[in-house]
Amino acid sequence: MRKWISIIFLSTVCLCAFSAEKGKTDLDAYYKYKVDYVETQRLYRNGRQLTLVTFKLEWPVSLCYSTQPLLQNTLCRQVFGVEGRSLSEGMSSYFSSLGEQIDKMPDEKWLTVTYYKCTLKMLGWEEGKYLSFQIHKTRRDNQSKEESVNENKLYTYDLIKRKFLKRTDIISSKYNPTKLPAYYEWKLGIFTRRQEMFLADELSFFNVIQPDERLCSVCVIPYGVVISMGDEVYLDDGEPTLHALPMGYVKKTLAKPVKRVLESTPLVVKSHSAQSPVVMMATDPAVGPDTTLVYDVVDQMAQFQKGAASLKKYFADELKYPEFETLTSKEGKVVVSFVVTRHGRIESPSVIIPCSPGIDREAVRAVMAMPQWTPASHNGVAVNSRVTLPLNFSLEK
């Protein structure tokens, strides 16, 4: 099969520019779906304590026209260790607790350095039903060679009842692996960080599922069930191992709560545009390094430096169809929103219409790899502006 990727280029239309801090949470709720992609590394100092923080986050900002308060607070507690109603609130509270931000590692002796890394990755979602994701955290300090924390957990959030499913809500506690045919023993697939899938004869569903939820977590995706063994990682790069079974092979083992979610009618929520058309036209403001304003209406839109034709060629050359999506014949459109700063840099990417986690991730990667654009201008001055870029992924047999 060959990949075909088509690009439609357009700019988000709105009435005005917004302050980055004003009404952000309210505006987020006007998206049916929005996931922010944040990648940052910062160094903080508090006395003789240094903390180097690395975040790579795919943060669900809005689902079904709601910020989902329980989901936001849980994510803030799991990722930042603080209470919070949003990504910006949780991150700000966490960073403020670490002391003063510094640019480089001090050349001093007897400093304690803590290294904290957290990855939040989308694994799957069905519109109006559920969202599943992975959180992988590692923590160590320069006083010890071993990591004090190496935690990898999977979560499924029920969008209808607005609650998290436990492992026993997904895999029945009555499940007896000895009653399953041997067919299950060799049909275990593995997701790598590249979402490739292969078969492993030496593994089985029986020895993957463990009774202790601290050692084993489970989530559901459109194609099946994903299982994490906690701190099990690849030896070559430290990325966590995710085991997966196709839905057809695990259907008999599913517990009633997850069956209810999968078989339920998707939650239907009306758009806010009918009640507030003016606010609906406003896009989510973003914070750039140069100014707190992102313009949505400008005299001259931002442009890819060599024009629309070269932009299409860029994505045709740069995008790589994800391996797992090729195996599952996943196709569709993903819409990426991003900011072109007044200096032409690409920042603040978000997916506002998803296709699948793998395709969304690849689309964001390619967008962030773009060369500098010609920035938008307003009243003769270069300004930050928001751009929306739809990408169609399709496979030709």
Side-chain angles (χ1 to χ4, degrees):
M1 290 188 292
R2 292 192 301 166
K3 68 176 183 181
W4 288 88
I5 304 168
S6 60
I7 299 106
I8 304 172
F9 174 66
L10 47 97
S11 176
T12 306
V13 177
C14 190
L15 290 181
C16 55
F18 285 85
S19 164
E21 297 300 325
K22 184 179 179 180
K24 185 177 191 304
T25 303
D26 294 335
L27 288 172
D28 285 337
Y30 285 89
Y31 288 94
K32 184 176 183 180
Y33 178 96
K34 184 173 186 281
V35 171
D36 284 351
Y37 288 70
V38 178
E39 190 167 351
T40 186
Q41 186 175 74
R42 301 187 188 184
L43 180 63
Y44 287 85
R45 178 167 187 170
N46 188 354
R48 305 201 67 79
Q49 172 67 51
L50 299 179
T51 306
L52 181 63
V53 181
T54 303
F55 287 128
K56 191 171 183 180
L57 309 175
E58 299 172 5
W59 193 283
V61 173
S62 181
L63 302 168
C64 300
Y65 297 110
S66 170
T67 56
Q68 306 291 337
L70 174 61
L71 176 62
Q72 297 299 320
N73 192 43
T74 300
L75 288 173
C76 285
R77 283 191 280 107
Q78 293 300 320
V79 174
F80 305 120
V82 300
E83 301 292 325
R85 297 172 296 175
S86 66
L87 166 63
S88 58
E89 184 176 305
M91 184 176 285
S92 176
S93 178
Y94 172 69
F95 284 149
S96 64
S97 70
L98 299 179
E100 178 186 4
Q101 184 176 1
I102 58 178
D103 296 328
K104 60 181 181 179
M105 194 72 71
D107 186 18
E108 301 177 29
K109 295 182 179 180
W110 316 115
L111 292 175
T112 300
V113 185
T114 299
Y115 302 87
Y116 177 57
K117 180 179 179 181
C118 183
T119 301
L120 167 62
K121 182 180 290 187
M122 295 296 102
L123 295 182
W125 103 301
E126 285 193 54
E127 184 174 345
K129 291 187 177 182
Y130 67 86
L131 173 79
S132 292
F133 55 90
Q134 168 198 14
I135 296 179
H136 179 220
K137 298 185 288 188
T138 59
R139 188 190 302 272
R140 65 180 180 86
D141 58 54
N142 60 345
Q143 308 296 327
S144 174
K145 294 182 179 180
E146 296 185 358
E147 293 173 333
S148 58
V149 174
N150 186 358
E151 183 180 283
N152 184 48
K153 287 188 177 182
L154 307 180
Y155 301 82
T156 293
Y157 179 71
D158 182 346
L159 287 167
I160 298 175
K161 293 199 171 183
R162 299 195 176 194
K163 69 174 187 177
F164 284 91
L165 298 181
K166 299 177 182 178
R167 195 197 66 186
T168 52
D169 291 332
I170 299 174
I171 300 298
S172 174
S173 58
K174 298 179 181 178
Y175 162 60
N176 183 350
T178 61
K179 294 181 180 180
L180 284 175
Y183 191 51
Y184 282 78
E185 297 294 312
W186 63 273
K187 283 294 185 181
L188 179 65
I190 305 270
F191 288 140
T192 71
R193 65 190 185 284
R194 295 175 299 274
Q195 288 195 311
E196 296 172 357
M197 185 175 180
F198 59 91
L199 302 179
D201 294 337
E202 71 276 10
L203 295 171
S204 70
F205 199 37
F206 172 73
N207 58 35
V208 168
I209 289 291
Q210 300 290 330
D212 191 343
E213 292 202 22
R214 294 173 300 175
L215 302 178
C216 176
S217 59
V218 180
C219 74
V220 64
I221 61 173
Y223 306 104
V225 169
V226 181
I227 306 162
S228 167
M229 294 304 296
D231 60 356
E232 182 182 17
V233 297
Y234 289 110
L235 296 179
D236 58 344
D237 60 8
E239 291 294 317
T241 306
L242 298 182
H243 306 279
L245 279 172
M247 189 65 74
Y249 306 145
V250 297
K251 197 169 184 179
K252 293 181 180 179
T253 72
L254 297 179
K256 289 182 179 180
V258 77
K259 284 183 178 179
R260 174 191 55 77
V261 173
L262 296 175
E263 296 169 0
S264 63
T265 301
L267 179 66
V268 177
V269 181
K270 293 183 179 180
S271 165
H272 293 281
S273 58
Q275 295 88 359
S276 307
V278 175
V279 180
M280 185 57 188
M281 295 176 69
T283 58
D284 175 32
V287 179
D290 307 308
T291 180
T292 59
L293 291 180
V294 175
Y295 285 77
D296 296 288
V297 167
V298 292
D299 296 335
Q300 180 66 46
M301 293 190 308
Q303 296 181 3
F304 193 69
Q305 291 186 359
K306 296 182 180 180
S310 61
L311 178 63
K312 185 173 181 179
K313 184 179 185 304
Y314 165 79
F315 281 109
D317 294 338
E318 179 69 22
L319 285 170
K320 310 297 181 187
Y321 218 104
E323 184 76 14
F324 180 66
E325 275 69 12
T326 302
L327 292 173
T328 57
S329 299
K330 180 64 178 178
E331 299 176 311
K333 179 176 73 174
V334 55
V335 177
V336 182
S337 172
F338 57 94
V339 171
V340 178
T341 72
R342 64 180 185 176
H343 297 301
R345 293 191 297 269
I346 309 300
E347 297 184 350
S348 306
S350 302
V351 169
I352 56 176
I353 296 181
C355 180
S356 74
I359 286 178
D360 298 349
R361 196 171 295 122
E362 174 60 14
V364 170
R365 183 201 65 78
V367 163
M368 294 305 292
M370 286 190 295
Q372 285 196 351
W373 282 39
T374 301
S377 63
H378 194 64
N379 295 329
V381 179
V383 295
N384 297 343
S385 65
R386 182 170 294 280
V387 173
T388 300
L389 197 65
L391 301 173
N392 290 318
F393 284 72
S394 61
L395 291 166
E396 183 186 67
K397 296 182 179 180

